[in-house]
Amino acid sequence: MITITDKHNCCGCSACVQTCPKQCISFEEDEQGFRYPLVDKGVCVDCGLCEKVCPVLNAGEPRQPLEVYAAINPNEEIRRESSSGGIFTALAKAVLDEGGVVFGARFNDQWEVVHAYTESKEGLAPFRGSKYVQSRVGETYRQAKAFLQQGRKVMYTGTPCQIAGLKRYLGKEYDQLLTVDVVCHGVPSPLVWRDYLRDITANNLSQIASINFRDKSTGWKNYSVKISGKEGKDYVNESFRQNLFMQVFLKDLCLRPSCTNCAAKSGKSCSDLTIADYWGMEDPNWDDNKGTSLALVHSSQGQQSMDACGVSKKQTSYEEAYRHNPSIERSVAENKYIAPFWSSFSSNGLKGVQPVLDKMKPSLVKRIYRKFRRLL
Ligand SMILES: Cc1cc2nc3c(=O)[nH]c(=O)nc-3n(C[C@H](O)[C@H](O)[C@H](O)COP(=O)(O)OP(=O)(O)OC[C@H]3O[C@@H](n4cnc5c(N)ncnc54)[C@H](O)[C@@H]3O)c2cc1C
Ligand code: SF4
Ligand code: SF4
Ligand code: SF4
């Protein structure tokens, strides 16, 4: 039976929970807001299925992509609403056109991030846009399997560990399944996210009208975080560099422990396609600061979907893409300020962590050295 002795070894995919034939695994939130499986030993029959489906205990082999593309959705409105070039929506629309079902991450009515599915094009809008919070997979592996067994086409999108969990849960290949993972820096804590939202809205989450982690009004590269209220006021509208939640995310202070030792990056998830931001594009025709996607093709199914989805695409090399996007392969390092961060957070909430962020600021000498290196 599954036993978590080291939290670095559980990505929270929930494949074990959804697989257990006795339904004796619950998913419990810890003091950092991440969920972990807990077995009711009195009911467990020691069948071993939970260990068999775990993508961390059974990590895949690293793969280099077959082809690499820069991609842009020709629909400017969709591209504006998407995190990079809008490739997700192009792929998803093609699946819906064939009568398929698309799974992705969206906000629920409490502004938590959850996985869900849609069978309509209007239903794709809530999936657009990266939500920098760990999403809850819920029952969606079971739902995807049921659609596949009915012969429906299914596109399932998520982080590499969510795709790895789905593949292990399904346990066999389906021709009509398209799996798409995002290059993943790591996932922030849902508890820190809840605390942040409660703070900025004075505990009035029902007044939030929309949340955009990657608003492009200030340009794709200098994107803003925008949280708007129902009465027209903005709770937050600031560069990601200034935004407190994004600072703790990008400084790796509130990520799931497994993200420092990711078992699913580098193509190990066995997805058909990996999508990401195409940072460092050198061809000016492909970089207008409105967002360009990167697509790594891992299978013939992935290639067919790329060819059929109607994006403008340009072939590039893996070396070029990786040079500007190390998260494709590399996990984040364990930040030495993680313990002080959680200690401040548990006493005073997210607002109380500013002294920790101040301590992390590089010295003047270090800043000058970094600037000099960048200029070189
Ligand atoms: C937590 C996280 C970390 C990321 N880190 C990087 C990175 O380091 N480098 C990089 O190049 N790109 C990263 N991305 C991917 C990037 O932000 C875009 O998703 C990608 O460029 C696809 O672009 P698009 O224009 O098609 O996006 P969109 O249309 O915005 O794509 C949305 C897709 O992302 C999925 N998604 C959104 N939020 C979540 C979530 N919380 N969990 C699982 N799936 C989610 C949706 O289901 C949908 O499939 C990250 C995404 C997430 C969610
Ligand atoms: S060993 Fe079998 S019964 Fe026990 S928790 Fe795992 S899946 Fe459930
Ligand atoms: S990684 Fe997934 S399958 Fe493995 S123990 Fe954690 S939740 Fe269960
Ligand atoms: S970094 Fe790895 S373990 Fe963390 S959420 Fe992303 S895919 Fe999962």
Side-chain angles (χ1 to χ4, degrees):
M1 101 193 59
I2 212 94
T3 315
I4 309 298
T5 49
D6 177 351
K7 288 184 175 173
H8 291 86
N9 295 333
C10 173
C11 65
C13 68
S14 84
C16 55
V17 180
Q18 294 186 71
T19 293
C20 176
K22 304 304 285 182
Q23 298 184 3
C24 66
I25 312 181
S26 54
F27 223 23
E28 308 283 333
E29 197 173 288
D30 75 352
E31 65 293 345
Q32 295 184 350
F34 295 110
R35 290 174 175 230
Y36 293 90
L38 188 69
V39 176
D40 181 342
K41 291 183 185 146
V43 185
C44 169
V45 290
D46 233 344
C47 67
L49 281 176
C50 48
E51 288 169 324
K52 205 169 150 203
V53 297
C54 176
V56 176
L57 291 177
N58 307 279
E61 290 298 317
R63 293 175 305 165
Q64 289 261 326
L66 306 173
E67 302 292 345
V68 179
Y69 296 98
I72 288 179
N73 192 319
N75 182 320
E76 282 297 321
E77 200 179 326
I78 296 229
R79 191 178 169 209
R80 187 171 43 77
E81 290 171 5
S82 307
S83 295
S84 56
I87 188 166
F88 157 73
T89 303
L91 292 163
K93 274 193 171 155
V95 170
L96 294 176
D97 282 342
E98 288 183 58
V101 187
V102 175
F103 287 78
R106 56 172 293 164
F107 290 111
N108 66 11
D109 54 7
Q110 297 297 305
W111 299 100
E112 298 164 320
V113 184
V114 294
H115 257 68
Y117 70 84
T118 183
E119 296 173 80
S120 77
K121 288 184 187 161
E122 302 72 54
L124 292 178
F127 295 154
R128 270 197 285 282
S130 296
K131 293 103 190 155
Y132 295 123
V133 183
Q134 180 161 40
S135 80
R136 291 209 304 265
V137 165
E139 295 280 301
T140 55
Y141 292 171
R142 277 191 201 144
Q143 291 165 338
K145 186 174 182 180
F147 284 123
L148 289 167
Q149 286 173 337
Q150 289 162 20
R152 298 278 297 274
K153 190 157 185 155
V154 170
M155 172 174 164
Y156 196 103
T157 63
T159 58
C161 60
Q162 290 169 339
I163 300 301
L166 171 73
K167 296 284 241 185
R168 299 264 349 148
Y169 171 84
L170 293 173
K172 66 175 239 190
E173 295 297 323
Y174 288 86
D175 289 344
Q176 43 342 342
L177 172 65
L178 175 70
T179 48
V180 180
D181 54 6
V182 292
V183 164
C184 182
H185 177 89
V187 281
S189 151
L191 176 65
V192 173
W193 175 238
R194 276 200 302 272
D195 179 86
Y196 175 68
L197 286 186
R198 282 190 190 137
D199 187 49
I200 58 162
T201 62
N203 223 357
N204 212 348
L205 268 60
S206 62
Q207 286 309 301
I208 297 176
S210 65
I211 298 181
N212 189 347
F213 280 92
R214 300 276 298 260
D215 184 82
K216 295 179 179 174
S217 330
T218 43
W220 176 51
K221 291 172 197 164
N222 185 32
Y223 60 90
S224 302
V225 177
K226 191 166 178 183
I227 303 182
S228 305
K230 285 185 177 153
E231 277 154 22
K233 78 166 179 182
D234 284 342
Y235 288 111
V236 173
N237 189 0
E238 60 193 359
S239 159
F240 73 97
R241 292 189 183 86
Q242 263 85 55
N243 182 261
L244 179 60
F245 184 81
M246 288 303 281
Q247 284 181 39
V248 298
F249 164 41
L250 294 172
K251 289 183 193 295
D252 309 330
L253 291 169
C254 65
L255 301 180
R256 190 171 177 104
S258 59
C259 300
T260 57
N261 184 24
C262 178
K265 281 170 186 266
S266 305
K268 286 192 250 172
S269 68
C270 296
S271 65
D272 297 298
L273 278 167
T274 300
I275 59 173
D277 301 295
Y278 202 123
W279 300 126
M281 169 52 72
E282 276 157 17
D283 180 344
N285 296 321
W286 286 81
D287 181 12
D288 55 6
N289 203 17
K290 292 182 185 171
T292 306
S293 297
L294 168 68
L296 310 177
V297 176
H298 301 293
S299 69
S300 55
Q301 163 80 315
Q303 185 65 55
Q304 277 166 24
S305 305
M306 271 305 286
D307 294 341
C309 74
V311 289
S312 312
K313 63 183 195 297
K314 169 191 159 84
Q315 205 154 6
T316 68
S317 74
Y318 182 63
E319 291 68 31
E320 190 55 30
Y322 175 70
R323 195 150 62 89
H324 298 282
N325 207 336
S327 293
I328 297 173
E329 289 184 16
R330 252 189 270 152
S331 297
V332 295
E334 191 105 36
N335 189 321
K336 66 176 180 179
Y337 290 94
I338 285 180
F341 168 83
W342 283 111
S343 158
S344 301
F345 178 82
S346 59
S347 319
N348 303 310
L350 193 57
K351 257 198 198 142
V353 305
Q354 193 56 50
V356 181
L357 291 174
D358 291 343
K359 266 196 211 144
M360 290 176 71
K361 277 191 186 140
S363 66
L364 184 64
V365 177
K366 221 173 195 169
R367 287 209 300 273
I368 293 172
Y369 171 72
R370 278 189 194 161
K371 197 157 192 175
F372 183 65
R373 264 187 50 176
R374 267 204 300 275
L375 282 175
L376 274 182

